[in-house]
Amino acid sequence: MPKTSTKYTTGHKKLFSNFLYGFVSLCAVAVSSCNQKPNNDASPAGFKKLLDSASQIYFNQDHVKALHIIDSTVSKYKNISVADKFEVYRLHCDYFVNIAGDNDKGLLYADSLLNILDNSGHPENYPKQYGIAYFSLGDVAFKKQKYLEAYQYYYKGKVTGRNNLDNCTLSDYSYRLGMVMYKQEHYDLAADYFNQSFVESKSCDDNFVTFYRQQELLDNAALSYYKAGIRDSARMNYIKALDFINTQGAKYPEKKAQIEAAKGVVYGNQAQLYIIQKDYNRAAGLLKKSFSINLKKDNDNRDAELSELKLAHIYVEQSSTDSLYLLLQNVRRQLDTVKNPDAEVDWSHLMANYYQNKSNLKEALTYFNTYALLKDSVDKSKEKLLEVDATQQFKDFENQSTIDKLKTDNGLQHIYLSVAVICAGMAIIIILLVYSNWKKSKKNVLALSDLNKKIHEQNESLQKAFLNLELNDKEKDRILRAVAHDLRNPIAGIASLTALMLSEADLDNEQQDLLELIQVTTNNSLELIREILEATGTISEKTTKKEMVDINTLVSNSIELLRFKAAEKSQKIFFEALDTPEELYISREKIWRVISNLISNAIKFSPRGADIRVKVGHLEDDILISVKDTGIGIPNELKQKVFNMFTEAKRPGTIGEPSFGLGLSISKQIIESHGGEIWFESIAGKGTTFYVLLKELSKKSNEEELIKV
């Protein structure tokens, strides 16, 4: 059986035998409705104060004292407001239904709730109270096993209060539907209602009562999935329930006993999954944990009895006769104290099997007869529960509600009738149009045939064009590879000759510096050629080793190599370095190529005499390099294309310098291979700023790693 909501009369968990009234959530709505009077009918100030005080005492579980105060107060005051009178009767109804267990008196008070509202003179002003009244009548009917009547009241409560009740109250409604569906063995629907109730309950006050209801809903949903044969969902929900109890229950250390009792119930239910899998050791461990917790005083003793009987079935499967007999005797003593009809049936059946296995047929027959009588009684109760399909009744109530609404709204009926007439007229028109279109269908078929023929011809033309483009693309790559390949040998010769001169020639300092610049430039040019060959697929991918590089020095060297080029256009390059040197774990040659390419572009697209500003700074913990010019900028229509390989965005420089449209694409590949980012900001005619972000990760590793570009 699923868990049901609980009361805390002694500070410990006590289960109701059938159902919970949903006291706490409905109290919150009732108090709210009392504080917000729908009209000018107000109670005397003294009465209101005493009622609030008595309600607080009732919430603190001193029910008799609270009702005594309320009755004494009512006898002293006249002209009590409808909302306050409703609250008085509601507390009495809750007491007799959920505390005293007197459903007949509870029904009288529930009926009185409706009478108060019906006779208020302004029933339309009390939608919240009507919803609560119908819920109260539904709960009384449910406890009296009048399930159809209960369902009808629940539906009326939903329709009346759907626009006025908060999600916390609607959570109680979903919970009720889940319990009815479970009892009617519509387990998949029950799981849906319990899950819906859990979501809606998140709007309730964050307190222990809400927490306890929520863990119960998770466990009930899991049990419903198990009963429906959806084992994976059941397993996940049991885990979710235990996690929820452990995490959220930690907020209520003073309720440790109740929280342990809740775990015990989940353990007992969870064990059934392992029994199905015949994993008896794990199942037995969970069951023992379960009933060791819930056999304690004021815990869920009935659930403990059911868990013990599950363990008894495991003993039967394992042929542990002695353990079975001892366990059944313990359960018998418990059943003599705590009545449990479901457990009685199972216990009698297990005892009959035990004596049958012992070949004691006389005792076995006695217990079989007891089992048959008890099971017959339980089956009759179940038949009464299942004789009404609440799902279908829900639909019937909804349809009847629609019919009643139509009957009381003549204006709406006329509208519906008018709409029906209009629809009929439109239907006739549509039929005529369909007939007319059918007559024209032959012409349409011919037109479609011609159109399909043209489309086929266009597709063939597009395919030919695509093939030509593919051939042109391959030819472009071939030419590019040829050019790059032919450039590599002479530049490699310059690099070798420069290295020889550096090693053997007697040079002064200026000559030494110039040759070293030539050597660095040729080596980097060779690396660029290799990148072009890689991009066109000429050579296989190659790895490049990283090293710790001072970023200030790297950027400064790039600038120094390009100052001569800038001087040709009377331009100046200003450099703002980091205050303190920082090293990054990067490829020196590749990052140098990126910086040099950005500065070269700034020189190329800036006018004579312009300033170019290069800055190395921080963006949080990362390194941000910016290259800013005041040149021609990038038009909006080209901004999406500048990083494309062989982009159409290439333009000549300010004095006609050529542009090949390859540098920024390669730069983007290099930066992204380092885990960084590259982007720009530009205004046409005013200049462009390129940004390179190198992540902090580049600063942390002190080991060599190989990256792919």
Side-chain angles (χ1 to χ4, degrees):
M1 289 295 291
K3 291 188 286 187
T4 55
S5 297
T6 57
K7 293 287 182 182
Y8 298 98
T9 55
T10 60
H12 293 280
K13 178 183 179 188
K14 291 186 176 180
L15 292 179
F16 286 106
S17 58
N18 292 308
F19 207 66
L20 176 68
Y21 177 57
F23 170 72
V24 175
S25 295
L26 296 183
C27 283
V29 175
V31 171
S32 174
S33 63
C34 289
N35 290 335
Q36 297 178 352
K37 296 292 186 295
N39 55 32
N40 295 326
D41 181 20
S43 301
F47 176 84
K48 178 60 180 171
K49 183 176 181 180
L50 288 171
L51 178 60
D52 290 344
S53 176
S55 297
Q56 187 62 43
I57 294 172
Y58 192 94
F59 297 160
N60 292 331
Q61 311 304 322
D62 197 346
H63 307 100
V64 176
K65 180 180 178 181
L67 294 182
H68 177 71
I69 294 173
I70 290 172
D71 291 338
S72 300
T73 304
V74 170
S75 65
K76 296 177 182 178
Y77 288 90
K78 297 181 180 180
N79 301 323
I80 300 172
S81 71
V82 172
D84 285 341
K85 189 180 297 184
F86 182 91
E87 174 69 0
V88 169
Y89 278 77
R90 191 197 58 75
L91 290 174
H92 281 78
C93 179
D94 177 75
Y95 173 76
F96 285 110
V97 174
N98 293 315
I99 307 302
D102 190 337
N103 293 323
D104 291 331
K105 285 189 177 180
L107 180 58
L108 292 175
Y109 278 103
D111 285 332
S112 298
L113 291 175
L114 271 185
N115 290 332
I116 291 170
L117 301 175
D118 291 339
N119 298 325
S120 65
H122 299 282
E124 69 280 0
N125 290 333
Y126 301 96
K128 290 184 180 180
Q129 285 85 349
Y130 268 108
I132 295 168
Y134 284 130
F135 283 165
S136 301
L137 285 164
D139 288 344
V140 175
F142 190 95
K143 289 202 170 186
K144 293 169 76 68
Q145 297 188 343
K146 297 180 179 179
Y147 304 111
L148 175 58
E149 186 178 328
Y151 215 90
Q152 186 174 9
Y153 281 128
Y154 291 151
Y155 179 73
K156 286 183 178 179
K158 174 187 176 184
V159 171
T160 304
R162 66 173 58 174
N163 295 323
N164 300 281
L165 299 176
D166 57 24
N167 279 344
C168 186
T169 305
L170 293 177
S171 173
D172 278 322
Y173 178 81
S174 300
Y175 169 78
R176 287 164 168 75
L177 292 177
M179 292 302 296
V180 173
M181 291 297 101
Y182 185 92
K183 288 180 177 294
Q184 289 198 313
E185 299 181 1
H186 298 309
Y187 299 118
D188 52 344
L189 292 176
D192 290 341
Y193 279 125
F194 288 136
N195 286 328
Q196 180 182 347
S197 180
F198 179 82
V199 173
E200 292 167 339
S201 69
K202 292 180 180 179
S203 66
C204 298
D205 292 340
D206 187 10
N207 53 37
F208 182 74
V209 174
T210 299
F211 154 75
Y212 216 89
R213 165 61 71 85
Q214 289 174 330
Q215 64 82 25
E216 171 199 341
L217 289 167
L218 292 173
D219 183 52
N220 286 357
L223 184 57
S224 299
Y225 282 129
Y226 167 78
K227 293 282 189 177
I230 310 174
R231 312 290 188 221
D232 290 339
S233 296
R235 182 177 295 105
M236 291 174 60
N237 267 58
Y238 282 133
I239 294 172
K240 187 177 178 180
L242 289 172
D243 288 343
F244 183 82
I245 292 172
N246 288 329
T247 56
Q248 299 300 313
K251 297 190 293 187
Y252 309 103
E254 73 282 2
K255 301 290 186 179
K256 184 177 180 181
Q258 294 95 310
I259 293 171
E260 286 299 311
K263 288 183 183 178
V265 175
V266 178
Y267 292 147
N269 291 336
Q270 190 180 27
Q272 295 177 110
L273 289 173
Y274 297 109
I275 293 175
I276 290 293
Q277 298 171 2
K278 298 188 183 301
D279 189 350
Y280 296 129
N281 290 335
R282 186 176 293 184
L286 288 171
L287 291 170
K288 289 176 182 178
K289 287 171 64 176
S290 175
F291 62 70
S292 66
I293 293 171
N294 283 327
L295 280 175
K296 296 177 182 178
K297 183 180 178 181
D298 293 324
N299 280 3
D300 193 350
N301 299 152
R302 292 186 180 184
D303 186 82
E305 292 167 353
L306 294 174
S307 294
E308 288 177 295
L309 291 175
K310 292 173 189 175
L311 181 60
H313 282 285
I314 293 176
Y315 288 155
V316 170
E317 293 292 330
Q318 295 177 332
S319 300
S320 302
T321 308
D322 294 338
S323 298
L324 172 64
Y325 182 76
L326 290 174
L327 180 59
L328 291 176
Q329 294 309 302
N330 286 334
V331 175
R332 179 68 265 165
R333 287 189 290 271
Q334 296 163 20
L335 289 172
D336 291 340
T337 303
V338 180
K339 301 302 180 183
N340 192 336
D342 291 330
E344 287 281 5
V345 175
D346 200 18
W347 184 87
S348 299
H349 188 249
L350 286 165
M351 287 298 296
N353 285 331
Y354 170 78
Y355 281 111
Q356 185 179 24
N357 291 332
K358 288 288 188 179
S359 300
N360 188 341
L361 299 182
K362 180 179 179 180
E363 289 292 334
L365 182 60
T366 300
Y367 283 108
F368 269 124
N369 288 334
T370 303
Y371 163 73
L373 291 172
L374 292 172
K375 190 172 188 303
D376 184 62
S377 176
V378 171
D379 288 344
K380 286 182 179 179
S381 298
K382 182 177 290 188
E383 288 174 5
K384 183 176 181 181
L385 176 63
L386 298 177
E387 66 186 3
V388 176
D389 187 346
T391 305
Q392 184 59 43
Q393 289 299 329
F394 183 89
K395 295 178 182 178
D396 293 342
F397 295 149
E398 187 170 353
N399 293 334
Q400 186 61 44
S401 175
T402 303
I403 293 171
D404 292 341
K405 186 176 181 181
L406 290 173
K407 288 180 178 179
T408 58
D409 192 348
N410 291 328
L412 190 59
Q413 286 184 8
H414 290 310
I415 293 174
Y416 286 161
L417 181 59
S418 300
V419 171
V421 172
I422 293 171
C423 289
M426 292 179 65
I428 294 173
I429 295 172
I430 290 171
I431 292 172
L432 293 174
L433 289 173
V434 169
Y435 177 74
S436 176
N437 288 332
W438 176 76
K439 292 180 67 176
K440 299 177 181 178
S441 61
K442 291 183 179 180
K443 293 181 180 179
N444 292 337
V445 169
L446 292 174
L448 286 173
S449 178
D450 291 339
L451 182 61
N452 285 333
K453 184 178 179 180
K454 292 179 180 179
I455 292 173
H456 180 70
E457 292 174 353
Q458 289 177 353
N459 284 337
E460 290 183 347
S461 298
L462 288 173
Q463 288 179 355
K464 291 179 180 179
F466 177 78
L467 290 174
N468 289 333
L469 285 173
E470 189 174 8
L471 291 173
N472 290 337
D473 187 60
K474 290 181 179 179
E475 180 64 16
K476 181 179 68 175
D477 284 350
R478 186 190 66 78
I479 294 172
L480 185 64
R481 289 195 297 270
V483 171
H485 186 272
D486 291 344
L487 286 175
R488 182 167 58 177
N489 290 332
I491 293 177
I494 294 172
S496 300
L497 182 60
T498 304
L500 179 63
M501 293 175 68
L502 284 170
S503 62
E504 295 182 358
D506 185 12
L507 307 171
D508 57 31
N509 290 338
E510 183 177 359
Q511 292 172 331
Q512 180 81 16
D513 290 341
L514 290 174
L515 285 174
E516 287 178 352
L517 283 175
I518 294 172
Q519 185 181 44
V520 170
T521 303
T522 53
N523 287 337
N524 289 330
S525 297
L526 286 171
E527 185 67 16
L528 176 59
I529 291 172
R530 189 187 68 80
E531 290 287 351
I532 294 173
L533 294 174
E534 284 182 2
T536 57
T538 304
I539 61 175
S540 61
E541 192 180 63
K542 185 179 179 182
T543 57
T544 303
K545 188 172 72 172
K546 287 181 173 182
E547 59 184 318
M548 297 303 295
V549 177
D550 184 339
I551 193 64
N552 278 347
T553 302
L554 178 64
V555 176
S556 177
N557 288 341
S558 298
I559 293 171
E560 292 304 318
L561 287 172
L562 292 169
R563 285 193 188 279
F564 299 106
K565 185 175 182 179
E568 293 175 0
K569 297 178 70 173
S570 301
Q571 295 171 344
K572 294 181 180 180
I573 303 177
F574 296 92
F575 177 45
E576 183 179 345
L578 290 170
D579 293 337
T580 56
E582 285 195 38
E583 291 187 336
L584 298 181
Y585 194 62
I586 56 176
S587 167
R588 181 191 302 272
E589 291 79 11
K590 291 183 181 295
I591 299 301
W592 175 88
R593 187 179 312 142
V594 172
I595 304 304
S596 297
N597 183 62
L598 295 180
I599 297 174
S600 294
N601 284 348
I603 294 170
K604 182 187 302 182
F605 296 112
S606 294
R608 293 183 181 275
D611 292 340
I612 297 168
R613 300 186 180 276
V614 182
K615 179 180 178 180
V616 181
H618 284 108
L619 181 60
E620 296 180 353
D621 294 330
D622 302 325
I623 295 296
L624 182 66
I625 304 170
S626 63
V627 178
K628 180 178 181 180
D629 65 55
T630 55
I632 62 177
I634 302 173
N636 291 333
E637 64 271 16
L638 298 180
K639 287 182 178 179
Q640 300 298 323
K641 303 176 181 179
V642 296
F643 288 115
N644 295 344
M645 182 73 74
F646 308 112
T647 178
E648 299 174 0
K650 55 190 177 183
R651 296 176 295 164
T654 55
I655 59 173
E657 301 99 320
S659 177
F660 301 103
L662 188 62
L664 287 177
S665 174
I666 294 176
S667 297
K668 182 177 176 65
Q669 294 180 41
I670 292 172
I671 295 303
E672 289 181 349
S673 72
H674 282 74
E677 300 176 37
I678 182 171
W679 71 95
F680 66 88
E681 296 174 356
S682 181
I683 300 176
K686 294 187 177 181
T688 302
T689 303
F690 274 87
Y691 298 94
V692 173
L693 183 69
L694 296 173
K695 301 288 185 177
E696 183 193 17
L697 179 63
S698 302
K699 298 187 285 185
K700 290 186 176 180
S701 175
N702 291 319
E703 300 177 358
E704 286 189 351
E705 78 175 35
L706 296 178
I707 63 167
K708 293 183 178 181
V709 177

